[in-house]
Amino acid sequence: MATRDYVKRGKAPRKKNTRRQPPKARARFPLKWALLAVCLVGAFGYGLYLLSNTDAPAPKPATDAQPQPSTQSKKAHLPKKPEEKWSYIEELESKEVEVRAKALPQSTRPYLMQCGAYRSQEQANERKAIIAFQGLESQIKISQGEKGTWYRVVLGPYPRKRQAERDRNMLRRAGVEPCAIWYWE
């Protein structure tokens, strides 16, 4: 059996549709639905017209033995306006409120902020200069570890962590990241 090469042959030509479809009928205007809508709108309008021409029902006459008092005598017999029994408005005008804020817990140890640890002193000096441009004073601490000498750029000491966080946020806005806050050692 001979092999055929289907790739070179290409696509087969499309066959024309030999079925003939009937022509589509044009949609006609729905006359009976239009007449129904006109009749309903007309009936609704006629009902509104009838309602607007009718008079309001008259109130029933009182069957009591007393005659109806006139409007002038009603005003004369009204009770006087009651006085307010609340006096909080006058009390609050002269009232003073005393607020006591909770004392913040004081740490016995000061905080430091480290903004980088570098292998070379030149890199540490560059970071120290960037921090100095922000108006903060930093120091370079040299530490000896198992992996060699490290030059740490630190700020502080801070008596409160809130002050250290304020400076860290200022440095973050200036693009100096990451800075970590620790207890001073």
Side-chain angles (χ1 to χ4, degrees):
M1 181 171 176
T3 59
R4 290 186 172 175
D5 189 4
Y6 291 102
V7 175
K8 288 184 181 176
R9 186 174 72 164
K11 290 184 176 180
R14 289 189 119 180
K15 294 181 182 178
K16 291 185 179 180
N17 192 358
T18 56
R19 277 194 234 162
R20 194 159 180 179
Q21 298 204 1
K24 291 184 178 178
R26 281 184 54 195
R28 293 182 14 184
F29 183 74
L31 186 60
K32 73 176 169 183
W33 290 110
L35 287 175
L36 180 66
V38 168
C39 290
L40 287 176
V41 169
F44 182 71
Y46 183 69
L48 288 178
Y49 174 74
L50 288 178
L51 285 176
S52 67
N53 285 340
T54 58
D55 293 333
K60 291 184 177 180
T63 57
D64 295 341
Q66 298 176 0
Q68 289 289 332
S70 66
T71 57
Q72 291 177 352
S73 63
K74 279 186 184 178
K75 288 182 183 176
H77 296 309
L78 289 177
K80 65 179 184 175
K81 184 178 177 182
E83 294 181 21
E84 289 188 27
K85 57 184 175 183
W86 312 109
S87 61
Y88 62 88
I89 295 174
E90 291 83 20
E91 289 177 10
L92 289 178
E93 286 177 352
S94 61
K95 186 91 171 180
E96 289 187 24
V97 178
E98 190 175 315
V99 178
R100 294 184 188 144
K102 293 181 182 177
L104 295 175
Q106 291 288 337
S107 175
T108 57
R109 298 170 59 188
Y111 292 93
L112 79 95
M113 180 169 44
Q114 178 176 325
C115 289
Y118 301 98
R119 290 281 189 175
S120 70
Q121 189 167 7
E122 296 159 1
Q123 290 176 324
N125 285 332
E126 286 177 16
R127 179 57 66 110
K128 182 179 178 181
I130 292 170
I131 293 171
F133 280 124
Q134 299 307 313
L136 299 174
E137 186 179 337
S138 61
Q139 307 164 18
I140 297 177
K141 296 217 174 232
I142 301 170
S143 62
Q144 297 289 333
E146 295 174 2
K147 297 182 181 177
T149 304
W150 288 91
Y151 299 92
R152 301 184 315 151
V153 180
V154 295
L155 287 85
Y158 295 100
R160 291 190 180 133
K161 189 173 182 180
R162 178 173 278 185
Q163 294 170 339
E165 287 175 351
R166 184 190 66 222
D167 286 349
R168 178 172 62 178
N169 289 333
M170 181 175 36
L171 291 172
R172 184 180 294 153
R173 284 190 298 267
V176 178
E177 286 190 285
C179 293
I181 299 173
W182 294 317
Y183 283 116
W184 187 271
E185 295 176 5

